Amino acid sequence: MRPPDEALIVIDVQNDFCPGGALAVADGDAIIPGLNALMSEYACVVLTQDWHPADHASFAVNQPGHAPYDTIAMPYGPQVLWPVHCVQGTRGAEFHPGLNAAAGQLILRKGFRAAIDSYSAFFENDHRTATGLDGWLRSRGIGKLTLAGLATDFCVGYSAQDAARLGFAVEVREDLSRAIDLNGSLAAARAAMRAAGVALVG
Ligand code: VGL
Ligand code: ZN
C-alpha cells in the first residue's frame, strides 16, 4: 500500500469517453485494467464524473451556428465546444462497467452548472469557483496526488495543474491516461503541466 498521505484521483472513466461513446477518446478503455490494479494500492481513491445537464453551454448543439470542436468566447474565457456527452443520468455518463468504481471513496461530479464547464476537479473553468476537493483532501491529511484517466489534455491536465498550484505534489500516470489531442492540445497540456511542476510518469 502507498503511504497514508497519498491519494489517487481517477478522472472521468465514463462510457462517453470510451470507444463507442459520444466523445470517445482513442483507446480510452485500454487503461482500465491498470487503473483497477493501481486503485488497490491506495487507501484514498477519488473518482471524478463529468456530469452535464442537457442544456450545457459546452455542447455545440446549444450554441447556434457552431459545430463541435469550435472554440468560442465565454464570459470566463475561451471554451471548446463538444458533442453532447455525459448527460446526467444517462448511460454515457456512467462509469465504464469494467472500472472498479466501488474502490472510490468520493465520487466528485463536475460540469453540472449549465453556464460553465469544469475540466478540473478543483476549479470550474472560470478558475475561481471551487469544487471543494482541495478541502476534502487536506482535511484527510493528503499531500501527494497521482492522477490518471481521461482525457490527458483536458480534465486530467487541468486537474493536475490546479492541484500543483494548490500545493500538492502531483504526478500524472501518462500510461494510464489517454488524450483527445485536438489541434496540438496534448503537447500544450504536457508543457503546461510540466511548467506547473507536475511530474509526468509512466
Ligand atoms: C472532458 C472534454 C469535455 C474530459 C470532459 O474529461 O477530459 N473533455 N468534457
Ligand atoms: Zn464535459
Side-chain angles (χ1 to χ4, degrees):
M1 291 294 286
R2 306 279 175 133
D5 65 334
E6 295 193 12
L8 173 64
I9 305 184
V10 176
I11 304 283
D12 296 2
V13 182
Q14 295 166 258
N15 288 320
D16 270 343
F17 296 124
C18 290
L23 180 42
V25 180
D27 249 4
D29 56 348
I31 62 177
I32 292 172
L35 289 173
N36 288 339
L38 192 62
M39 284 192 282
S40 70
E41 295 180 23
Y42 287 82
C44 183
V45 176
V46 176
L47 307 179
T48 70
Q49 199 171 21
D50 210 37
W51 194 251
H52 300 307
D55 63 348
H56 198 255
S58 79
F59 295 166
V61 73
N62 295 326
Q63 300 289 352
H66 288 283
Y69 310 108
D70 286 354
T71 298
I72 65 164
M74 296 286 276
Y76 54 81
Q79 171 70 50
V80 178
L81 298 179
W82 303 106
V84 173
H85 65 278
C86 296
V87 173
Q88 297 169 4
T90 63
R91 195 180 163 279
E94 290 173 12
F95 293 115
H96 187 286
L99 185 75
N100 181 22
Q105 298 170 344
L106 176 69
I107 294 174
L108 185 107
R109 289 173 170 166
K110 58 186 181 59
F112 47 76
R113 292 191 178 94
I116 183 167
D117 207 359
S118 187
Y119 294 146
S120 165
F122 294 91
F123 293 100
E124 301 196 21
N125 283 12
D126 61 1
H127 305 292
R128 275 194 300 275
T129 307
T131 65
L133 182 58
D134 179 31
W136 190 88
L137 293 166
R138 294 287 181 202
S139 61
R140 304 241 333 213
I142 303 294
K144 182 171 182 198
L145 303 177
T146 299
L147 274 69
L150 305 171
T152 317
D153 43 346
F154 287 93
C155 290
V156 176
Y158 281 83
S159 298
Q161 290 174 64
D162 281 347
R165 288 190 198 109
L166 287 166
F168 293 95
V170 186
E171 65 175 29
V172 167
R173 283 288 299 263
E174 288 196 285
D175 58 325
L176 295 178
S177 302
R178 291 292 183 274
I180 295 172
D181 205 9
L182 186 67
N183 305 319
S185 58
L186 177 57
R190 296 184 85 227
M193 285 192 277
R194 283 208 177 99
V198 174
L200 302 179
V201 301

